[in-house]
Amino acid sequence: MFKNRQRILENSSTEKLRLMRDDALNILEAALEVVDPKTAVMEKLKVIEGNIAVDGFTRHLSDVNRVLIVGGGKAGGPMTEALEKVLGDWIEGGVVNILRGTETRYSVNRVKLNPSSHPVPDEGGVRGVQEMMRLTSNLSPEDLVFSIISGGGSSLMTLPAAGVSLEDVQDVTKKLLSSGATINELNAVRKHLSAFKGGRLAANCYPATVVSLILSDVVGDPIDIIASGPTAPDPSTYKTAHEVLERRGVWGSVNPAVKDRIEQGLKGEADETPKPGSPVFDKVHNIVVANNLKAAKAAAAEAKKLGYNTEVISTFVEGEARHVGTVYAGLARSLAINDLPVAKPGALILGGETTVTVKGSGKGGRNQELALSALVKIAEHDCVVLALGTDGIDGPTDAAGAIVDGESLSRALSKQIDPQKHLKENDSYSFFKTLGDNVFTGPTGTNVNDLTLILAT
């Protein structure tokens, strides 16, 4: 799972820190295994004596005209594999948008895996969504659509609304990402520039039955936010989107077509996204198959197995990565010095998703920036902090995150690299590359937010 495990362990100068680093990798590896998308889907979805059953929804296959599969996200490949394994020849066809470069990993026969781009959408993603909308048009009440939804889906499944171009969506996405916008803010805007998001897929499928299998990558599992909620009622409005663009300071610089679309919506001249209570959702079943809490609990179980007193502190962590890193460093010191909130050997697990407001010219991701922020404050303490993106892709980098311990600062200074300078430049990736403490997994095929593990002995 961890491609550079050996180097991470060799960066420890003491046996105690080496063992803690090894434990940290093992603990988060166990968490990733539990939220494997294929496993998660197959645990939920069953076909027993001709009856499809998933989390309370049941339908006998003899009552179904066609079974179609659509959707997308970073976990789209393994989730599609699971559906094909369970439903087999009952599937008539489908299209699922997945992360470009991962399409050869998966073995599917009846569904097309369409390569797309993340975090900025591309033409490939647009073509895939156009196919999905054609496939799910003019359906009957006897048709059954399985919608696969996972993290990254909002970028991977892009279909600009009338009058808006892909370039317009790309531009506003980049600007909002750089502004430090939260996923909720970003998706409120994207939903109102889309002909697919914000419940519009569900509207296109109506009156067919839709079962959405959702791998949550959003804090609190709000189904209207995950992948911009293509099958969920949308409580946000054009006013919400406008307020986000104003608040994040990008309204004045977005492309004219984006402004026109939002302004038309504010005047009631552009259709709103389907809202709660709309009949298009009467036959929609949105089911979360795995989330950050499931991963955090698995991490806690593995930590206990390894002999640590363990506490899951929260799975609702949000905020600026560098500020959250400082708070996590405080937790690490409290654990190491005061045996709080648990006695040593202790393990604290935290989940959620932070943001980075880019002001420098460096390269990095939120988990690496979080770890870099924590590094200075934990100096000379017997503790380890490992911050990980469960999808294996931390921001625009090929690292999943980073690991630091009580000796990281002295090692950095001996290599003449200044953590504060790199933090100022948002250059965490280069810092940890020099230090040898980036963590690499490659794309994991899952995506349930971020996990941070704090150990002290």
Side-chain angles (χ1 to χ4, degrees):
M1 178 72 74
F2 292 100
K3 296 181 177 181
N4 60 329
R5 172 186 284 268
Q6 192 57 39
R7 184 175 183 186
I8 289 170
L9 299 182
E10 289 172 353
N11 283 337
S12 308
S13 65
T14 68
E15 181 68 7
K16 177 183 280 191
L17 288 177
R18 190 196 69 78
L19 287 173
M20 273 198 287
R21 282 176 169 241
D22 192 39
D23 286 344
L25 296 174
N26 289 331
I27 290 166
L28 290 195
E29 193 169 81
L32 291 176
E33 288 174 358
V34 163
V35 290
D36 172 75
K38 189 172 182 179
T39 301
V41 169
M42 292 182 69
E43 284 178 351
K44 288 280 188 180
L45 177 65
K46 307 290 183 183
V47 176
I48 303 170
E49 297 181 351
N51 278 298
I52 296 175
V54 52
D55 205 42
F57 168 81
T58 60
R59 178 69 52 82
H60 200 279
L61 283 163
S62 63
D63 297 326
V64 175
N65 179 29
R66 291 184 295 167
V67 177
L68 302 172
I69 313 296
V70 296
K74 293 178 183 177
M79 293 176 81
T80 303
E81 281 189 326
L83 280 169
E84 285 207 355
K85 188 171 181 65
V86 175
L87 298 175
D89 292 342
W90 287 101
I91 300 171
E92 181 172 303
V95 182
V96 174
N97 282 6
I98 64 171
L99 191 66
R100 176 168 282 104
T102 66
E103 56 268 27
T104 59
R105 291 182 174 194
Y106 309 110
S107 177
V108 298
N109 300 308
R110 308 191 69 84
V111 178
K112 177 182 176 181
L113 296 182
N114 180 64
S116 312
S117 175
H118 179 276
V120 179
D122 68 357
E123 286 284 0
V126 172
R127 286 192 296 270
V129 177
Q130 288 172 336
E131 287 187 58
M132 294 178 212
M133 296 296 271
R134 283 195 294 269
L135 189 65
T136 56
S137 295
N138 302 313
L139 297 181
S140 75
E142 289 74 36
D143 291 324
L144 174 60
V145 179
F146 280 94
S147 171
I148 291 172
I149 297 173
S150 65
S154 195
S155 171
L156 295 171
M157 296 186 288
T158 293
L159 183 60
V164 179
S165 70
L166 174 62
E167 291 73 21
D168 295 326
V169 177
Q170 290 171 330
D171 178 73
V172 74
T173 299
K174 290 175 182 176
K175 285 183 168 69
L176 286 170
L177 287 171
S178 295
S179 76
T182 66
I183 190 64
N184 301 49
E185 292 175 322
L186 180 60
N187 286 358
V189 173
R190 292 197 283 202
K191 282 187 278 191
H192 288 87
L193 301 176
S194 175
F196 179 80
K197 300 175 172 67
R200 295 190 189 274
L201 172 60
N204 195 64
C205 293
Y206 185 81
T209 297
V210 177
V211 177
S212 285
L213 303 177
I214 303 168
L215 196 79
S216 174
D217 72 327
V218 182
V219 174
D221 307 332
I223 58 171
D224 62 296
I225 299 297
I226 303 163
S228 293
T231 61
D234 179 29
S236 73
T237 63
Y238 284 101
K239 181 181 179 182
T240 310
H242 179 255
E243 289 172 348
V244 169
L245 293 167
E246 286 276 21
R247 183 164 59 249
R248 290 299 175 179
V250 300
W251 175 251
S253 64
V254 297
N255 291 354
V258 172
K259 278 191 175 181
D260 288 347
R261 175 74 180 182
I262 301 299
E263 287 173 345
Q264 287 170 11
L266 291 172
K267 295 174 186 176
E269 297 171 359
D271 289 344
E272 256 293 0
T273 49
K275 302 303 177 193
S278 169
V280 302
F281 301 110
D282 288 350
K283 298 172 69 179
V284 174
H285 306 266
N286 290 304
I287 299 163
V288 175
V289 298
N291 56 12
N292 190 258
L293 179 60
K294 187 173 184 178
K297 286 182 175 179
E302 183 66 16
K304 288 177 182 176
K305 190 186 300 182
L306 293 173
Y308 289 88
N309 298 307
T310 305
E311 192 75 44
V312 176
I313 302 297
S314 176
T315 58
F316 290 85
V317 177
E318 297 177 277
E320 190 71 25
R322 63 182 61 206
H323 300 151
V324 173
T326 302
V327 173
Y328 284 7
L331 289 172
R333 292 165 69 191
S334 176
L335 183 59
I337 298 169
N338 297 328
D339 286 280
L340 291 172
V342 296
K344 295 191 296 292
L348 306 180
I349 295 134
L350 302 107
E353 185 166 303
T354 61
T355 53
V356 174
T357 302
V358 179
K359 296 180 179 179
S361 57
K363 180 180 180 180
R366 58 186 180 270
N367 289 284
Q368 293 162 88
E369 184 149 314
L370 185 156
L372 180 56
S373 174
L375 177 147
V376 174
K377 295 291 187 180
I378 66 170
E380 299 183 8
H381 295 291
D382 287 330
C383 58
V384 165
V385 177
L386 171 56
L388 182 79
T390 57
D391 60 355
I393 306 166
D394 190 29
T397 77
D398 58 348
I403 187 168
V404 295
D405 61 36
E407 292 188 343
S408 295
L409 178 60
S410 61
R411 287 178 49 232
L413 296 178
S414 71
K415 293 177 180 290
Q416 297 183 326
I417 49 174
D418 182 352
Q420 297 297 347
K421 180 180 177 181
H422 282 263
L423 192 60
K424 183 178 179 181
E425 288 297 316
N426 300 112
D427 197 25
S428 54
Y429 181 85
S430 300
F431 177 88
F432 285 114
K433 184 176 181 180
T434 303
L435 200 63
D437 279 337
N438 297 99
V439 175
F440 295 97
T441 62
T444 61
T446 193
N447 189 10
V448 291
N449 293 130
D450 302 331
L451 285 175
T452 298
L453 175 66
I454 299 170
L455 299 181
T457 58

